[in-house]
Amino acid sequence: MNRIVFIRMFTATCGLLFLSLWGVAQTQSRSAQLIQVLVTPNKADWTYALGEEASFEVTVLKHQVPVENATVSYRIGLEKMPPTQSGEATLSSGTVVVGKKATLDTPGFLRCEVRVTVDGADYRGFATAAFAPESIQPTQQLPNDFWTFWNAAKAEAAKVPMDAKLTLLPGRGTETVDVYEVNIQNYELGTRLYGILARPKKPGKYPAVLQVPGAGIRPYAGLIELAAEGMITLQIGIHGMPVTYETGLYNDLGAGALRGYQFFNMDDRDRYYYKRVYLGCVRAIDYLYSLPEFDGNNLAVWGGSQGGALAIITTALDNRVKYLASFYPALSDLTGYLHGRAGGWPHMFNETNAPFMAKDDKIAVSAYYDVVNFARSVKVPGFYSWGYNDETCPPTSFYAAYNQIKAPKELYLVQETGHWTFPEQQIKVQEWLVAQLRR
């Protein structure tokens, strides 16, 4: 498969996930801005040893030419935390260096955020310096009965009949691929799990890819072009509703009944919203294994953000998964904010949410759903990719999870990326998945 097809696959068919597409659009938008605020760490790899001093060079461009004598304001500090340095500086020759003695003596990330006003409009740029990121350890605790809880939950869910229903979507299929909406029973009687199944028309045995979703409520198109390459693909939603309705319905639900679903019933580990989500991912694997076209062995799970979390979690929960791919996983080290550093999305214990969420019962429940506690049990090869500039899923949080993984792992680090990906990252993960599944 050539690289043009790779890029088209990921951008035209929801590829990596919805947030990746949003990120690509954001990249294009940022590059098209009249004024660009460039913040550059003084090390090419943005990575420092503990105690090493970092600094940041600031350049403001207009028409790709440095703006001289502009005044910028800057803030330097741990991501999501109050700044430890702040001030103003003048770009007397088009550039200026700030934060000359910025450093950390414990593993983590320092972010330099710069703002400037040009012709009455405000602009912003930032860069993030990593200090010994491979040594970041989680703040989250591992409950003694963590696997007792999840093994019991899986055993109960396994008793529920799958009751699978397929609806052909003839307008989405191609000459070589059939596409269906899948409707199966989830972890309790009466609960449903929906997704888009795409499988080759040609008879045979094929590997499978389960794509788990990023946060939000939306319809899904299916991974049709990947199926055309000789794979069964299943792209699932997590909210127990069909995934083929008009976008407006999902927007209404996201602003209404499902707004803040990440916090629903968090005071009870048996009723927390993500229990249905995690067990639904296992049920999706049950379904893939039930397909006669599946080769019975080669199965990968992948996603980004919330989906990056679900990829790791599903792999830990189900030893039938042979490979995983995870981009900037959410739900990682959720308790970071309670220990003076950034915690993972959905930031349930940050300054804004802590008055309502930082209660003993909710903190205790978070431990049963935190990626770091699943990451310890991952035993299969994985591909991971992210950058240091992620403001949605702070790198401190996902490194806390990543560093717990002892299985073979490949990290494709692109330092300047935030909560989005470059096409090159999308190409890399696709190449990796295809290479593993076709062994």
Side-chain angles (χ1 to χ4, degrees), residues 10 14-18 20 211-212 302-304 327-328 421 426 429:
F10 279 83
C14 292
L16 189 59
L17 74 160
F18 171 80
S20 291
Q211 187 190 44
V212 283
W302 65 286
F327 280 53
Y328 35 75
T421 57
Q426 300 166 3
V429 68

Side-chain angles (χ1 to χ4, degrees), residues 210-265:
L210 171 64
Q211 187 190 44
V212 283
I217 305 97
R218 68 185 70 87
Y220 293 94
L223 302 180
I224 299 166
E225 293 193 46
L226 185 56
E229 294 300 316
M231 297 185 187
I232 299 167
T233 64
L234 177 59
Q235 185 181 53
I236 62 170
I238 61 170
H239 300 294
M241 70 187 72
V243 293
T244 54
Y245 293 146
E246 294 296 322
T247 302
L249 171 66
Y250 303 101
N251 292 341
D252 291 344
L253 287 168
L258 289 177
R259 183 178 181 182
Y261 69 85
Q262 304 91 347
F263 306 119
F264 288 179
N265 299 323

Side-chain angles (χ1 to χ4, degrees), residues 334-386:
L334 297 165
T335 50
Y337 290 105
L338 304 177
H339 297 266
R341 73 185 204 197
W345 180 94
H347 311 291
M348 54 190 58
F349 302 129
N350 68 5
E351 183 178 6
T352 300
N353 294 319
F356 311 98
M357 299 299 297
K359 312 295 184 182
D360 288 346
D361 53 357
K362 293 179 172 63
I363 295 169
V365 168
S366 76
Y368 291 91
Y369 292 87
D370 199 307
V371 173
V372 299
N373 287 335
F374 291 94
R376 307 174 199 272
S377 296
V378 169
K379 296 180 174 63
V380 302
F383 180 91
Y384 305 84
S385 187
W386 47 64

Side-chain angles (χ1 to χ4, degrees), residues 52-338:
E52 188 175 3
E53 293 184 355
S55 63
F56 301 87
E57 183 179 83
V58 179
T59 306
V60 178
L61 300 180
K62 182 177 182 179
H63 308 312
Q64 307 295 322
V65 176
V67 176
E68 295 186 1
N69 299 318
T71 298
V72 300
S73 62
Y74 65 91
R75 293 158 49 99
I76 300 172
L78 295 173
E79 47 182 349
K80 302 293 187 181
M81 295 288 115
T84 53
Q85 292 188 42
S86 60
E88 293 187 343
T90 300
L91 284 68
S92 56
S93 60
T95 63
V96 68
V97 175
V98 300
K100 294 183 179 179
K101 294 184 178 180
T103 190
L104 290 178
D105 57 10
T106 58
F109 291 82
L110 278 181
R111 181 161 291 158
C112 177
E113 178 187 22
V114 176
R115 296 180 181 270
V116 66
T117 301
V118 179
D119 298 331
D122 296 328
Y123 300 89
R124 172 178 178 263
F126 62 94
T128 311
F131 290 82
E134 71 287 346
S135 298
I136 293 172
Q137 295 299 310
T139 62
Q140 183 65 271
Q141 298 298 306
L142 177 66
N144 292 332
D145 63 344
F146 181 82
W147 281 112
T148 300
F149 171 73
W150 280 111
N151 287 335
K154 289 193 298 176
E156 283 300 307
K159 299 175 184 177
V160 178
M162 196 178 320
D163 186 31
K165 300 175 183 178
L166 277 180
T167 302
L168 182 66
L169 302 174
R172 300 193 187 185
T174 68
E175 291 183 359
T176 60
V177 175
D178 285 325
V179 180
Y180 305 84
E181 183 173 45
V182 175
N183 170 1
I184 57 180
Q185 197 156 228
N186 199 345
Y187 76 112
E188 290 180 338
L189 289 172
T191 64
R192 308 299 296 186
L193 178 74
Y194 291 84
I196 302 296
L197 176 75
R199 63 186 181 193
K201 288 183 177 180
K202 183 180 178 181
K205 297 288 187 179
Y206 298 98
V209 176
L210 171 64
Q211 187 190 44
V212 283
I217 305 97
R218 68 185 70 87
Y220 293 94
L223 302 180
I224 299 166
E225 293 193 46
L226 185 56
E229 294 300 316
M231 297 185 187
I232 299 167
T233 64
L234 177 59
Q235 185 181 53
I236 62 170
I238 61 170
H239 300 294
M241 70 187 72
V243 293
T244 54
Y245 293 146
E246 294 296 322
T247 302
L249 171 66
Y250 303 101
N251 292 341
D252 291 344
L253 287 168
L258 289 177
R259 183 178 181 182
Y261 69 85
Q262 304 91 347
F263 306 119
F264 288 179
N265 299 323
M266 200 179 164
D267 53 357
D268 185 337
R269 69 178 185 177
D270 288 303
R271 298 178 61 245
Y272 182 38
Y273 194 85
Y274 274 106
K275 183 176 182 181
R276 65 170 295 133
V277 177
Y278 293 6
L279 293 176
C281 293
V282 174
R283 179 44 56 103
I285 294 173
D286 291 338
Y287 177 71
L288 287 169
Y289 263 80
S290 76
L291 298 176
E293 301 87 356
F294 176 50
D295 69 15
N297 184 58
N298 295 298
L299 187 148
V301 180
W302 65 286
S305 192
Q306 176 187 263
L310 295 178
I312 295 171
I313 290 163
T314 305
T315 301
L317 283 172
D318 198 320
N319 61 15
R320 293 173 295 180
V321 176
K322 297 301 186 292
Y323 309 100
L324 79 99
S326 174
F327 280 53
Y328 35 75
L331 294 158
S332 297
D333 203 36
L334 297 165
T335 50
Y337 290 105
L338 304 177

Side-chain angles (χ1 to χ4, degrees), residues 41-50 52 54 108-109 128-134 388 399 413 415:
N42 65 327
K43 289 191 70 175
D45 64 359
W46 299 28
T47 306
Y48 299 78
L50 296 180
E52 188 175 3
F109 291 82
T128 311
F131 290 82
E134 71 287 346
Y388 292 166
Y399 267 97
L413 177 63
Q415 285 86 341

